[in-house]
Amino acid sequence: MAGKRNGLRALIKRAAPNAEWTHCVIHREALASKHLSPELNEVLTAVVDVVNFIKTRPLKARLFTAVCEEMGADHTAVLFHSEARWLSRGKVLSRIFELRSEIRMFLEEERMAKTNTTSHLADKINTFTRKLNVWEKRMSQGRTDVFENLTELAESIDSGAATVLPCIQQHIEALGGFFGKYFPNSATQYDWVVDPFHASAPADFSCAEEEQLIEMTSDSALRLRFPTIPLSQFWLEVEKQYPLIGQKAVGILLPFAIISL
């Protein structure tokens, strides 16, 4: 297209022989800046990977924005890297540096979400329901210190104590009832999976399953190996030798981990 003989350049030269032709400055800048040292290129590649991980997934971008807002960051998004504009690299790197704390927390939370298991979720549900009980008790005593915004709202409205607080208290009571309905199982139901060498066998175990749990927990080699490897890996190894309880434990641990990925 820009050939010297038949392209645009030749046509312009014929019409204006004194016209000067120069290569696109932005393109030349981009070409000149491509030659990074291996160390710097590794850093830039890692940064681009992080940016793409956040920006190319709408859900991830929204979650990252929420993290930035919660932490009071000056920015709520990272910048895309453009190969055509080498100056954009500086802006991208600057933004990454400014949001380094928020990015670290976001990536750590992402990693933790992928390693969650059913037993971890059960612990979180149990924690939340216990907190609901505490909040309900304190609200019934007229104590709203756990909800700072609610206290301020109640004090700023003439009928706040008579209308707002009872409404919130009723909501907490109802929420506790719903959690009790949808999560009726005991908080200790997965103890045998999380800590098999100290927990008792569940009441719904068959005789064969309970006997196999006894055999497994009496295995000194497995007892020594248990604290040295991830929980899911431990039960995958147990499954080969003790299939009844191994399959049962793997069925509890792995489904949520697979969905999270």
Side-chain angles (χ1 to χ4, degrees):
M1 181 177 178
K4 294 181 179 180
R5 294 182 175 82
N6 300 315
L8 176 63
R9 182 174 180 179
L11 294 175
I12 292 176
K13 279 290 188 179
R14 291 171 192 168
N18 296 325
E20 292 293 332
W21 185 271
T22 182
H23 195 70
C24 174
V25 174
I26 294 176
H27 189 205
R28 283 189 290 171
E29 289 174 341
L31 291 174
S33 65
K34 278 183 174 292
H35 302 286
L36 291 173
S37 66
E39 294 80 8
L40 294 178
N41 186 65
E42 183 179 352
V43 172
L44 183 61
T45 300
V47 168
V48 171
D49 288 342
V50 170
V51 170
N52 289 339
F53 178 76
I54 297 173
K55 294 285 285 185
T56 59
R57 298 169 174 82
L59 176 60
K60 303 294 186 189
R62 291 195 296 272
L63 292 174
F64 181 70
T65 296
V67 169
C68 292
E69 291 175 348
E70 289 178 3
M71 297 181 67
D74 294 333
H75 309 287
T76 59
V78 292
L79 300 176
F80 262 131
H81 169 258
S82 172
E83 286 286 349
R85 295 299 301 270
W86 72 273
L87 287 176
S88 73
R89 297 181 181 181
K91 294 179 180 179
V92 171
L93 291 170
S94 295
R95 179 64 60 86
I96 290 291
F97 183 77
E98 292 171 4
L99 294 175
R100 60 191 183 281
S101 298
E102 291 77 11
I103 291 173
R104 182 185 299 111
M105 176 171 289
F106 174 75
L107 294 178
E108 287 177 352
E109 289 180 353
E110 285 293 304
R111 179 182 59 80
M112 290 173 63
K114 290 184 178 181
T115 57
N116 270 341
T117 62
T118 308
S119 60
H120 291 140
L121 294 181
D123 290 342
K124 291 181 179 180
I125 294 296
N126 180 50
T127 299
F128 183 69
T129 53
R130 292 175 63 188
K131 286 183 178 180
L132 281 176
N133 293 333
V134 172
W135 297 342
E136 181 181 347
K137 179 181 177 181
R138 296 180 76 85
M139 288 291 293
S140 65
Q141 298 171 345
R143 302 165 66 183
T144 60
D145 52 318
V146 69
F147 305 116
E148 296 181 3
N149 294 336
L150 176 61
T151 302
E152 183 178 347
L153 178 64
E155 293 175 350
S156 64
I157 301 176
D158 294 338
S159 60
T163 59
V164 178
L165 298 186
C167 179
I168 299 300
Q169 183 178 352
Q170 183 180 4
H171 171 68
I172 293 176
E173 292 174 358
L175 193 60
F178 284 125
F179 267 82
K181 175 183 178 180
Y182 290 108
F183 299 97
N185 294 326
S186 170
T188 61
Q189 64 178 316
Y190 299 120
D191 283 359
W192 72 275
V193 177
V194 177
D195 191 7
F197 295 97
H198 296 93
S200 301
D204 61 350
F205 261 27
S206 67
C207 182
E209 289 171 339
E210 189 166 0
E211 288 178 354
Q212 201 166 93
L213 181 64
I214 292 174
E215 294 173 10
M216 190 274 288
T217 54
S218 300
D219 190 324
S220 58
L222 287 176
R223 180 185 292 272
L224 292 174
R225 185 156 174 74
F226 178 71
T228 65
I229 58 176
L231 189 61
S232 56
Q233 182 181 340
F234 171 79
W235 281 109
L236 286 171
E237 294 182 5
V238 168
E239 184 181 11
K240 299 174 183 177
Q241 189 173 355
Y242 304 98
L244 285 178
I245 58 170
Q247 291 174 7
K248 202 176 188 73
V250 170
I252 292 171
L253 289 172
L254 292 188
F256 183 78
I258 294 172
I259 292 172
S260 297
L261 295 174

mmCIF file of all heavy atoms in Angstrom, residues 44 47 51 75 77-79 87-100 102-103:
data_model
loop_
_atom_site.group_PDB
_atom_site.id
_atom_site.type_symbol
_atom_site.label_atom_id
_atom_site.label_comp_id
_atom_site.label_asym_id
_atom_site.label_seq_id
_atom_site.Cartn_x
_atom_site.Cartn_y
_atom_site.Cartn_z
ATOM 1 N N LEU A 44 6.886 -7.524 32.810
ATOM 2 C CA LEU A 44 5.803 -7.008 31.983
ATOM 3 C C LEU A 44 4.821 -8.118 31.613
ATOM 4 O O LEU A 44 3.603 -7.915 31.626
ATOM 5 C CB LEU A 44 6.361 -6.365 30.720
ATOM 6 C CG LEU A 44 5.331 -5.724 29.785
ATOM 7 C CD1 LEU A 44 4.573 -4.608 30.489
ATOM 8 C CD2 LEU A 44 6.002 -5.186 28.522
ATOM 9 N N VAL A 47 2.628 -8.838 34.545
ATOM 10 C CA VAL A 47 1.652 -7.762 34.726
ATOM 11 C C VAL A 47 0.507 -7.898 33.732
ATOM 12 O O VAL A 47 -0.670 -7.772 34.083
ATOM 13 C CB VAL A 47 2.334 -6.386 34.579
ATOM 14 C CG1 VAL A 47 1.290 -5.275 34.461
ATOM 15 C CG2 VAL A 47 3.243 -6.122 35.767
ATOM 16 N N VAL A 51 -3.483 -8.348 34.441
ATOM 17 C CA VAL A 51 -4.479 -7.437 33.866
ATOM 18 C C VAL A 51 -5.519 -8.214 33.063
ATOM 19 O O VAL A 51 -6.729 -7.981 33.202
ATOM 20 C CB VAL A 51 -3.801 -6.380 32.974
ATOM 21 C CG1 VAL A 51 -4.847 -5.591 32.186
ATOM 22 C CG2 VAL A 51 -2.954 -5.434 33.819
ATOM 23 N N HIS A 75 -8.291 4.124 42.718
ATOM 24 C CA HIS A 75 -8.782 3.601 41.443
ATOM 25 C C HIS A 75 -9.560 2.316 41.693
ATOM 26 O O HIS A 75 -9.364 1.645 42.706
ATOM 27 C CB HIS A 75 -7.623 3.319 40.491
ATOM 28 C CG HIS A 75 -6.674 4.463 40.329
ATOM 29 N ND1 HIS A 75 -6.983 5.598 39.628
ATOM 30 C CD2 HIS A 75 -5.403 4.646 40.813
ATOM 31 C CE1 HIS A 75 -5.952 6.439 39.670
ATOM 32 N NE2 HIS A 75 -4.994 5.880 40.376
ATOM 33 N N ALA A 77 -10.049 0.047 38.909
ATOM 34 C CA ALA A 77 -9.817 -0.831 37.763
ATOM 35 C C ALA A 77 -8.370 -0.734 37.318
ATOM 36 O O ALA A 77 -7.716 0.288 37.526
ATOM 37 C CB ALA A 77 -10.750 -0.469 36.599
ATOM 38 N N VAL A 78 -7.891 -1.808 36.712
ATOM 39 C CA VAL A 78 -6.565 -1.799 36.096
ATOM 40 C C VAL A 78 -6.720 -1.362 34.643
ATOM 41 O O VAL A 78 -7.820 -1.335 34.099
ATOM 42 C CB VAL A 78 -5.904 -3.193 36.175
ATOM 43 C CG1 VAL A 78 -5.560 -3.550 37.600
ATOM 44 C CG2 VAL A 78 -6.820 -4.259 35.562
ATOM 45 N N LEU A 79 -5.598 -1.005 34.001
ATOM 46 C CA LEU A 79 -5.632 -0.526 32.620
ATOM 47 C C LEU A 79 -5.175 -1.616 31.666
ATOM 48 O O LEU A 79 -4.280 -2.408 31.986
ATOM 49 C CB LEU A 79 -4.727 0.697 32.466
ATOM 50 C CG LEU A 79 -5.073 1.905 33.341
ATOM 51 C CD1 LEU A 79 -4.024 2.996 33.137
ATOM 52 C CD2 LEU A 79 -6.449 2.436 33.015
ATOM 53 N N LEU A 87 3.962 3.920 25.398
ATOM 54 C CA LEU A 87 3.783 4.728 26.600
ATOM 55 C C LEU A 87 2.697 4.148 27.513
ATOM 56 O O LEU A 87 2.694 4.403 28.712
ATOM 57 C CB LEU A 87 3.420 6.170 26.213
ATOM 58 C CG LEU A 87 4.562 7.006 25.628
ATOM 59 C CD1 LEU A 87 4.043 8.376 25.206
ATOM 60 C CD2 LEU A 87 5.678 7.178 26.662
ATOM 61 N N SER A 88 1.767 3.352 26.933
ATOM 62 C CA SER A 88 0.721 2.753 27.761
ATOM 63 C C SER A 88 1.315 1.776 28.766
ATOM 64 O O SER A 88 0.722 1.517 29.806
ATOM 65 C CB SER A 88 -0.306 2.034 26.884
ATOM 66 O OG SER A 88 0.228 0.834 26.350
ATOM 67 N N ARG A 89 2.480 1.226 28.443
ATOM 68 C CA ARG A 89 3.113 0.296 29.386
ATOM 69 C C ARG A 89 3.393 0.973 30.715
ATOM 70 O O ARG A 89 3.167 0.409 31.781
ATOM 71 C CB ARG A 89 4.421 -0.240 28.796
ATOM 72 C CG ARG A 89 4.243 -1.054 27.528
ATOM 73 C CD ARG A 89 5.579 -1.568 27.035
ATOM 74 N NE ARG A 89 5.448 -2.338 25.803
ATOM 75 C CZ ARG A 89 6.453 -2.906 25.179
ATOM 76 N NH1 ARG A 89 7.679 -2.788 25.664
ATOM 77 N NH2 ARG A 89 6.261 -3.589 24.063
ATOM 78 N N GLY A 90 3.882 2.206 30.635
ATOM 79 C CA GLY A 90 4.168 2.946 31.860
ATOM 80 C C GLY A 90 2.918 3.190 32.670
ATOM 81 O O GLY A 90 2.916 3.049 33.900
ATOM 82 N N LYS A 91 1.821 3.540 31.990
ATOM 83 C CA LYS A 91 0.572 3.790 32.695
ATOM 84 C C LYS A 91 0.027 2.511 33.324
ATOM 85 O O LYS A 91 -0.485 2.520 34.441
ATOM 86 C CB LYS A 91 -0.451 4.379 31.728
ATOM 87 C CG LYS A 91 -0.080 5.769 31.205
ATOM 88 C CD LYS A 91 -1.121 6.291 30.237
ATOM 89 C CE LYS A 91 -0.727 7.676 29.728
ATOM 90 N NZ LYS A 91 -1.715 8.206 28.743
ATOM 91 N N VAL A 92 0.130 1.419 32.567
ATOM 92 C CA VAL A 92 -0.334 0.135 33.089
ATOM 93 C C VAL A 92 0.454 -0.258 34.329
ATOM 94 O O VAL A 92 -0.111 -0.654 35.359
ATOM 95 C CB VAL A 92 -0.224 -0.963 32.016
ATOM 96 C CG1 VAL A 92 -0.499 -2.343 32.618
ATOM 97 C CG2 VAL A 92 -1.191 -0.695 30.872
ATOM 98 N N LEU A 93 1.781 -0.139 34.242
ATOM 99 C CA LEU A 93 2.637 -0.509 35.373
ATOM 100 C C LEU A 93 2.400 0.402 36.573
ATOM 101 O O LEU A 93 2.389 -0.048 37.723
ATOM 102 C CB LEU A 93 4.108 -0.467 34.945
ATOM 103 C CG LEU A 93 4.539 -1.549 33.949
ATOM 104 C CD1 LEU A 93 5.942 -1.258 33.427
ATOM 105 C CD2 LEU A 93 4.500 -2.922 34.590
ATOM 106 N N SER A 94 2.193 1.694 36.321
ATOM 107 C CA SER A 94 1.923 2.639 37.410
ATOM 108 C C SER A 94 0.632 2.287 38.136
ATOM 109 O O SER A 94 0.563 2.303 39.367
ATOM 110 C CB SER A 94 1.848 4.077 36.870
ATOM 111 O OG SER A 94 3.090 4.478 36.361
ATOM 112 N N ARG A 95 -0.406 1.963 37.345
ATOM 113 C CA ARG A 95 -1.683 1.610 37.959
ATOM 114 C C ARG A 95 -1.571 0.315 38.763
ATOM 115 O O ARG A 95 -2.127 0.201 39.860
ATOM 116 C CB ARG A 95 -2.754 1.475 36.869
ATOM 117 C CG ARG A 95 -4.141 1.076 37.387
ATOM 118 C CD ARG A 95 -4.754 2.133 38.292
ATOM 119 N NE ARG A 95 -4.909 3.397 37.615
ATOM 120 C CZ ARG A 95 -5.973 3.718 36.865
ATOM 121 N NH1 ARG A 95 -6.956 2.856 36.713
ATOM 122 N NH2 ARG A 95 -6.046 4.905 36.297
ATOM 123 N N ILE A 96 -0.830 -0.653 38.214
ATOM 124 C CA ILE A 96 -0.619 -1.910 38.942
ATOM 125 C C ILE A 96 0.110 -1.648 40.255
ATOM 126 O O ILE A 96 -0.234 -2.218 41.299
ATOM 127 C CB ILE A 96 0.186 -2.913 38.083
ATOM 128 C CG1 ILE A 96 -0.656 -3.422 36.912
ATOM 129 C CG2 ILE A 96 0.685 -4.081 38.923
ATOM 130 C CD1 ILE A 96 -1.804 -4.317 37.314
ATOM 131 N N PHE A 97 1.104 -0.771 40.229
ATOM 132 C CA PHE A 97 1.859 -0.466 41.443
ATOM 133 C C PHE A 97 0.969 0.224 42.468
ATOM 134 O O PHE A 97 1.023 -0.077 43.669
ATOM 135 C CB PHE A 97 3.056 0.423 41.110
ATOM 136 C CG PHE A 97 3.930 0.731 42.292
ATOM 137 C CD1 PHE A 97 4.825 -0.212 42.774
ATOM 138 C CD2 PHE A 97 3.850 1.956 42.937
ATOM 139 C CE1 PHE A 97 5.627 0.051 43.873
ATOM 140 C CE2 PHE A 97 4.647 2.234 44.033
ATOM 141 C CZ PHE A 97 5.541 1.283 44.500
ATOM 142 N N GLU A 98 0.131 1.152 42.003
ATOM 143 C CA GLU A 98 -0.755 1.869 42.919
ATOM 144 C C GLU A 98 -1.788 0.942 43.555
ATOM 145 O O GLU A 98 -2.205 1.158 44.696
ATOM 146 C CB GLU A 98 -1.460 2.999 42.165
ATOM 147 C CG GLU A 98 -0.531 4.120 41.718
ATOM 148 C CD GLU A 98 -1.220 5.098 40.795
ATOM 149 O OE1 GLU A 98 -2.435 4.941 40.562
ATOM 150 O OE2 GLU A 98 -0.546 6.028 40.304
ATOM 151 N N LEU A 99 -2.196 -0.086 42.813
ATOM 152 C CA LEU A 99 -3.218 -1.016 43.310
ATOM 153 C C LEU A 99 -2.617 -2.340 43.767
ATOM 154 O O LEU A 99 -3.324 -3.343 43.848
ATOM 155 C CB LEU A 99 -4.248 -1.284 42.199
ATOM 156 C CG LEU A 99 -5.112 -0.102 41.761
ATOM 157 C CD1 LEU A 99 -5.987 -0.493 40.581
ATOM 158 C CD2 LEU A 99 -5.977 0.397 42.915
ATOM 159 N N ARG A 100 -1.330 -2.347 44.071
ATOM 160 C CA ARG A 100 -0.664 -3.610 44.381
ATOM 161 C C ARG A 100 -1.278 -4.310 45.602
ATOM 162 O O ARG A 100 -1.416 -5.535 45.615
ATOM 163 C CB ARG A 100 0.838 -3.384 44.598
ATOM 164 C CG ARG A 100 1.200 -2.442 45.731
ATOM 165 C CD ARG A 100 2.681 -2.086 45.674
ATOM 166 N NE ARG A 100 3.126 -1.232 46.772
ATOM 167 C CZ ARG A 100 2.923 0.080 46.817
ATOM 168 N NH1 ARG A 100 2.287 0.683 45.822
ATOM 169 N NH2 ARG A 100 3.352 0.792 47.846
ATOM 170 N N GLU A 102 -4.433 -4.030 46.704
ATOM 171 C CA GLU A 102 -5.751 -4.528 46.321
ATOM 172 C C GLU A 102 -5.638 -5.760 45.424
ATOM 173 O O GLU A 102 -6.402 -6.722 45.570
ATOM 174 C CB GLU A 102 -6.538 -3.432 45.595
ATOM 175 C CG GLU A 102 -6.971 -2.269 46.471
ATOM 176 C CD GLU A 102 -5.843 -1.301 46.791
ATOM 177 O OE1 GLU A 102 -4.771 -1.413 46.157
ATOM 178 O OE2 GLU A 102 -6.027 -0.428 47.650
ATOM 179 N N ILE A 103 -4.671 -5.749 44.508
ATOM 180 C CA ILE A 103 -4.477 -6.889 43.616
ATOM 181 C C ILE A 103 -4.026 -8.110 44.402
ATOM 182 O O ILE A 103 -4.489 -9.230 44.159
ATOM 183 C CB ILE A 103 -3.452 -6.544 42.515
ATOM 184 C CG1 ILE A 103 -4.044 -5.504 41.552
ATOM 185 C CG2 ILE A 103 -3.028 -7.784 41.740
ATOM 186 C CD1 ILE A 103 -3.066 -4.980 40.543
#
